Amino acid sequence: MIRDQETLSILLDTISRFVKERLIPAEETVAETDEIPADIVSEMKEMGLFGLSTPEEYGGLGLTMEEEVMVGFEIAKTSPCFRSLIGTNNGIGSQGIIVDGTEAQKQHYLPKLAAGELIASFALTEPDSGSDAASLRTTAKRDGDFYVLNGTKRFITNAPEASIFTVMARTNPEIKGAKGITAFIVERGTPGLTVGKADKKMGQKGAHTADVIFENCRVPAANIIGGQEGVGFGTAMKVLDKGRLHIASICTGAAERMLNDALHYAVERKQFGKPIVEFQLIQAMLADSKAEIYAARSMILEAARKRDRGESVSTEASCCKMFASEMCGRVADRAVQIFGGAGYIAEYPIERFYRDVRLFRIYEGTTQIQQIVIARNMVKDLQA
Ligand code: COS
């Protein structure tokens, strides 16, 4: 749903200009230093980028899903690390509070998250619990008005920067699966919470992940999201339904950027006496990529509109995340191929993008997990 086309067009133009004038020129520095410059972070805050999806009454822009994915298409035309910094506040870090939080929790945290004053992280994955998220082992034991958390969370995006964590922990050790899990808001600085060293990754320099360790970490009972035990897994899954649509839009924007770079290179690069874009085998790679990007865009917009109508998009979000991330990987591969030897050299951005986008097929649920979700929902629908 688009609420006001004119306002949206202004926002999209502003973001597109910001990407071209500020972010793309900073890509190499960020890749070398592994840090996003402070002035860029300040500009992102001023533009309201940390609160894109936060409802207006809590200080955000209150974008609908359709509007948000359109922003995603634009902001992803540069290194994914920039989107990653604002990604958790707009998505998995804050959504738990938005969809299931109490009014007090919303009022306390959302305005600061929307302003970028606080960074939120989503702590679900553990060393022994990745795809099988419901098997998580972090415990939260009640002690008066507190819960005592023990366990380790792994690969937590923005953990080094985060001021609050949405933590999924097991409050009922008798129940091994999803129903024993509760979601908590844990503030950084709570005694017993430590953040490990930032992980060394294949790509996405400037975006940071780390372990988050809880050792007898006492969290007020009032910090249970929604105030209810045992529903934390459902909260996490709802968060991921939205997150997967958002990530799909990011995959599509990144693919557009890579295809655009490859097209420009193909027009300029001459072999056998003419620009390589005139060779049909190059044209095939360009055309296949264009068509696949168009397909991804269309399905993401369609699914976003469905979510805006209040309908469940569990199946569609997984379809979009699976198709767009795999498509992005194929486009990255073709783009490197079009660049030829130059595509393997770090001097050109495509080498960096090729490594950066590899993560899309893995995080917020691997392609194989999306297949499981889609197939299971098909069976459920048949039996309904
Ligand atoms: N919305 C709301 N509730 C949902 C849901 C959704 N999309 N999906 C599942 N649930 C609920 C189910 O309804 C079920 O509750 P009931 O028993 O009350 O019906 C509960 O959650 C457990 O669901 P399920 O039985 O499907 O859980 P499984 O353990 O079989 O696993 C998968 C579900 C595999 C889909 C889940 O573990 C998953 O998504 N894994 C990937 C995790 C991931 O994406 N990690 C990335 C890191 S986070 S960035």
Side-chain angles (χ1 to χ4, degrees):
M1 181 180 67
I2 293 173
R3 295 162 303 164
D4 173 5
Q5 185 60 56
E6 204 185 324
T7 313
L8 179 65
S9 299
I10 293 170
L11 177 69
L12 294 175
D13 281 353
T14 309
I15 290 173
S16 171
R17 223 174 323 116
F18 182 60
V19 167
K20 280 195 200 105
E21 292 171 9
R22 297 289 289 129
L23 303 187
I24 292 176
E27 283 177 1
E28 252 182 75
T29 312
V30 173
E32 274 162 26
T33 60
D34 198 18
E35 287 298 333
I36 300 177
D39 54 340
I40 289 187
V41 178
S42 301
E43 285 172 64
M44 290 168 118
K45 287 181 187 172
E46 278 162 31
M47 290 168 72
L49 297 185
F50 286 87
L52 293 169
S53 62
T54 316
E56 284 168 300
E57 66 260 43
Y58 303 108
L61 299 184
L63 298 190
T64 64
M65 197 69 226
E66 186 176 1
E67 293 166 345
E68 184 181 325
V69 296
M70 290 177 87
V71 167
F73 295 147
E74 285 311 311
I75 202 137
K77 291 179 185 167
T78 181
S79 294
C81 66
F82 298 111
R83 193 290 317 178
S84 187
L85 182 63
I86 60 162
T88 48
N89 276 31
N90 284 301
I92 56 177
S94 68
Q95 272 305 307
I97 303 175
I98 292 176
V99 295
D100 282 338
T102 62
E103 190 50 41
Q105 288 165 348
K106 290 180 189 178
Q107 286 189 11
H108 186 67
Y109 292 108
L110 294 180
K112 291 184 193 122
L113 290 171
E117 282 168 33
L118 297 181
I119 299 287
S121 267
F122 179 74
L124 175 67
T125 300
E126 298 182 356
D128 293 319
S129 160
S131 289
D132 184 7
S135 71
L136 64 84
R137 290 208 212 139
T138 295
T139 53
K141 213 172 149 200
R142 180 120 202 183
D143 181 17
D145 287 342
F146 287 82
Y147 282 79
V148 183
L149 268 64
N150 279 289
T152 299
K153 296 293 179 177
R154 181 139 295 170
F155 308 141
I156 304 306
T157 300
N158 287 338
E161 289 80 13
S163 353
I164 62 165
F165 298 87
T166 305
V167 182
M168 268 50 71
R170 193 168 297 284
T171 38
N172 188 341
E174 306 292 311
I175 307 176
K176 297 280 171 252
K179 284 197 169 60
I181 296 170
T182 301
F184 293 85
I185 304 164
V186 185
E187 298 191 359
R188 194 180 200 120
T190 308
L193 185 162
T194 42
V195 175
K197 272 200 321 223
D199 300 316
K200 285 188 182 163
K201 309 190 297 329
M202 176 192 283
Q204 299 226 4
K205 286 278 160 53
H208 307 133
T209 62
D211 278 6
V212 183
I213 303 129
F214 301 94
E215 288 165 305
N216 295 324
C217 177
R218 289 172 70 80
V219 178
N223 285 23
I224 289 183
I225 293 183
Q228 206 190 331
E229 268 195 27
V231 295
F233 191 76
T235 301
M237 291 298 113
K238 283 186 255 177
V239 165
L240 286 172
D241 280 349
K242 175 170 184 286
R244 287 166 181 166
L245 267 183
H246 175 93
I247 291 294
S249 77
I250 300 306
C251 299
T252 308
E256 282 189 39
R257 159 68 185 273
M258 292 186 289
L259 180 60
N260 190 44
D261 283 7
L263 175 64
H264 278 89
Y265 187 80
V267 167
E268 279 157 26
R269 172 79 174 163
K270 289 199 177 78
Q271 286 295 280
F272 304 102
K274 55 184 177 183
I276 61 170
V277 77
E278 290 179 25
F279 292 103
Q280 289 180 342
L281 293 178
I282 298 286
Q283 288 176 356
M285 287 193 275
L286 293 171
D288 286 355
S289 301
K290 183 80 180 171
E292 289 189 52
I293 289 169
Y294 180 49
R297 254 188 109 97
S298 305
M299 70 196 285
I300 293 163
L301 285 168
E302 165 66 22
R305 286 181 199 126
K306 188 171 178 188
R307 188 175 187 278
D308 285 338
R309 290 196 300 270
E311 296 173 44
S312 164
V313 290
S314 174
T315 303
E316 288 82 356
S318 285
C319 288
C320 289
K321 203 279 183 175
M322 173 174 81
F323 182 80
S325 62
E326 292 288 332
M327 173 279 286
C328 187
R330 289 192 292 274
V331 171
D333 194 68
R334 291 182 198 123
V336 169
Q337 200 66 18
I338 291 170
F339 271 84
Y344 203 68
I345 303 295
E347 209 173 298
Y348 293 87
I350 194 62
E351 179 271 343
R352 172 164 38 81
F353 265 91
Y354 182 80
R355 288 181 288 109
D356 286 351
V357 303
R358 187 62 184 84
L359 183 59
F360 293 153
R361 291 160 58 199
I362 299 170
Y363 71 175
E364 296 204 21
T366 59
T367 292
Q368 291 67 32
I369 285 295
Q370 309 310 329
Q371 289 171 318
I372 287 170
V373 172
I374 297 163
R376 273 194 194 175
N377 286 348
M378 287 167 68
V379 175
K380 252 195 239 163
D381 290 348
L382 193 69
Q383 290 164 347

